[in-house]
Amino acid sequence: MAKAASKNGPGKSRWSEFRARLAGWFIAYCGHDLRCLQSLDSFTALMYRPTDGAALGVARALFGLMMLIDIPEERGGGNLDFRWGDPRACRFPLVNGMEPLGYARMGVVYLVMWLGALGIALGYRFRLTCLMFVTSYWYVFVLDKSSWNNHSYLYGLLGTLFLFTDANKFLSFDAYKNRTSSQEVPFWNYFILKYQFFILYFLAGLKKMCPEWLSGYAMTNLSYHWVFLPFRSLLGPQLTDLLIVHWFGCIFDTLVVFFLIYAPTRKTATLFACAFHLMNSRLFHIGMFPWTCLTQLPLYYSVSWPRLVWKKVSFGESSGKFTKHQKPKKQTPQPPSKRRKIVTGTILLYCGLQLFLPYSHFITKGYNNWTNGLYGYSWDMIVPMRKMPEAQVFEVFGRFVSAGYR
């Protein structure tokens, strides 16, 4: 017995020491206790930890502002006659037989979408206006899957996630009207948004880990753009294409969120992320996508950063609830309610779904010119740079007449 105890003793002590070190590393990395992952109850308690809603309110307002600009631009609100005026235009809806409303009614849909985005930006009747934006946005989105892309899909997801959060508790008309209400939100309001951007970056990096991308053939001659002039002067065009465009793009997407979470590397990662998105805004015609990503980067900083910034700008003068945040009083921890467990389970289900969908093309095959599946939820970049002529097919009385190319 003594020998058995002596044998088990050092092994147990080493295991205990490793667990203690792992818990310390976890706290140092993300600021959370590793024990919060031991059970559903502890994880639910973490998700419902009272958190200052200041940073979330700013993120909501900036997202609404980005959508106000995106709707008349990339959503086609500024050229409704071109996009929806021709009833004979060929479209590929998600549901077979689904047809767009008439031209005038589509104008009403876009008006509802724009007013919803305005309500999100102002935080006015937030639930109603966010629901207006989300329903009208997804309706336009599913009308034609041939126009799907990563950022259009992302906007719909963000709008849906904001709908279920309490993002109107700060910097909003709703908060101004309810001055006596608390400005705290459950921690999961931040968690789910940050997780969504983790999926955006990380899976985009994993999708780039293919021979075509890593060999430098996916985006050829991109180094001749003026934004790469400093790199091209030092490395030459070929090495710039390979090392900066392809390799750095893959490494950045895969690792940037990990560096944003870790406080000592957060500022450096933010600088790289800003440079990355600003360059993309000049390189590609991708609308408000780079700017939307830039506006959501502060989510990885302190949840009270707007109050700290305002306090410095106002030279320490008191500005009421805008700068003051009362920390919640410590209460005796109680078992989470059944409702909270269901919400936490739904969050975990959503997280798993977002991990599964980009690799689900063995189920939903086709519908895509670039990859084997729906490009909209793949987080793939358009890797192959292809050029093809536009095809015109003419059909008269149900019989094929001719086909022309240009």
Side-chain angles (χ1 to χ4, degrees):
M1 294 292 293
K3 290 183 179 180
S6 63
K7 288 182 180 180
N8 293 333
K12 288 184 177 179
S13 63
R14 283 195 295 267
W15 173 244
S16 300
E17 183 180 353
F18 172 75
R19 289 182 61 183
R21 287 185 178 181
L22 183 62
W25 291 338
F26 193 77
I27 292 175
Y29 178 69
C30 63
H32 300 299
D33 193 334
L34 190 60
R35 289 175 294 181
C36 67
L37 305 179
Q38 290 181 349
S39 65
L40 179 62
D41 286 359
S42 59
F43 186 70
T44 302
L46 172 66
M47 291 293 100
Y48 275 90
R49 186 186 68 192
T51 310
D52 186 10
L56 184 66
V58 174
R60 180 218 78 240
L62 292 176
F63 172 73
L65 178 61
M66 295 299 103
M67 294 303 97
L68 286 174
I69 302 173
D70 175 80
I71 291 170
E73 295 293 332
E74 192 167 3
R75 294 316 113 206
N79 54 352
L80 284 175
D81 55 340
F82 176 78
R83 186 162 184 178
W84 305 105
D86 186 4
R88 299 172 299 175
C90 183
R91 296 184 180 87
F92 301 89
L94 179 64
V95 180
N96 290 333
M98 188 176 182
E99 295 289 341
L101 300 174
Y103 172 52
R105 293 181 179 179
M106 288 303 297
V108 175
V109 171
Y110 273 77
L111 177 61
V112 171
M113 191 193 311
W114 194 88
L115 291 176
L118 180 63
I120 293 174
L122 298 178
Y124 179 72
R125 296 184 179 272
F126 175 67
R127 294 274 185 251
L128 175 62
T129 53
C130 194
L131 182 63
M132 290 166 55
F133 171 80
V134 168
T135 52
S136 55
Y137 185 93
W138 282 118
Y139 172 71
V140 173
F141 184 81
V142 301
L143 280 178
D144 189 3
K145 57 177 174 267
S146 65
S147 62
W148 287 8
N149 52 44
N150 286 337
H151 50 280
S152 299
Y153 174 55
L154 176 68
Y155 300 159
L157 291 178
L158 292 178
T160 305
L161 294 177
F162 272 118
L163 174 63
F164 294 99
T165 65
D166 296 323
N168 61 330
K169 294 212 173 167
F170 183 82
L171 198 64
S172 67
F173 278 92
D174 291 347
Y176 180 78
K177 291 189 296 183
N178 302 317
R179 300 183 186 182
T180 58
S181 64
S182 171
Q183 293 187 336
E184 291 176 348
V185 300
F187 175 71
W188 69 261
N189 287 195
Y190 286 95
F191 170 80
I192 196 66
L193 289 169
K194 291 193 283 188
Y195 177 82
Q196 188 63 69
F197 279 95
F198 165 75
I199 289 293
L200 166 69
Y201 289 110
F202 183 66
L203 291 188
L206 294 183
K207 292 300 185 78
K208 289 181 175 69
M209 294 181 184
C210 62
E212 186 176 14
W213 186 274
L214 296 179
S215 300
Y217 294 109
M219 307 289 288
T220 57
N221 299 324
L222 199 62
S223 61
Y224 288 99
H225 195 281
W226 65 267
V227 300
F228 292 109
L229 179 60
F231 302 103
R232 193 171 66 246
S233 302
L234 293 174
L235 302 174
Q238 293 183 347
L239 279 179
T240 299
D241 273 326
L242 178 63
L243 300 180
I244 305 301
V245 176
H246 292 86
W247 287 14
F248 175 76
C250 178
I251 295 171
F252 172 85
D253 279 336
T254 308
L255 300 178
V256 63
V257 174
F258 294 102
F259 288 113
L260 284 170
I261 294 173
Y262 188 45
T265 59
R266 187 173 295 147
K267 293 181 180 179
T268 303
T270 302
L271 291 176
F272 276 98
C274 290
F276 178 81
H277 289 300
L278 290 174
M279 291 172 70
N280 280 345
S281 70
R282 302 299 91 196
L283 288 168
F284 307 109
H285 299 286
I286 48 179
M288 300 306 297
F289 175 59
W291 309 103
T292 302
C293 291
L294 287 173
T295 61
Q296 304 304 307
L297 282 177
L299 285 172
Y300 291 94
Y301 283 78
S302 167
V303 294
S304 298
W305 72 262
R307 303 183 194 276
L308 301 175
V309 171
W310 183 257
K311 190 174 182 180
K312 290 184 178 180
V313 171
S314 59
F315 302 102
E317 297 178 3
S318 177
S319 302
K321 291 188 73 175
F322 197 85
T323 56
K324 294 181 180 179
H325 170 239
Q326 292 183 349
K327 294 184 178 180
K329 296 180 180 180
K330 291 186 178 181
Q331 300 177 351
T332 304
Q334 297 179 352
S337 64
K338 184 177 180 181
R339 178 181 178 276
R340 291 189 173 187
K341 288 183 180 181
I342 292 175
V343 172
T344 303
T346 305
I347 291 171
L348 293 174
L349 180 64
Y350 177 83
C351 293
L353 183 64
Q354 284 296 307
L355 283 172
F356 170 73
L357 280 178
Y359 297 97
S360 64
H361 301 317
F362 65 94
I363 299 175
T364 56
K365 295 180 179 179
Y367 310 134
N368 194 341
N369 291 329
W370 306 102
T371 57
N372 297 322
L374 289 166
Y375 173 60
Y377 57 74
S378 302
W379 306 121
D380 291 331
M381 189 170 180
I382 300 179
V383 173
M385 297 295 289
R386 304 175 183 171
K387 292 183 179 180
M388 62 180 297
E390 179 181 345
Q392 292 182 328
V393 180
F394 304 93
E395 188 174 358
V396 179
F397 300 115
R399 296 181 61 188
F400 178 79
V401 176
S402 63
Y405 298 90
R406 63 178 182 181

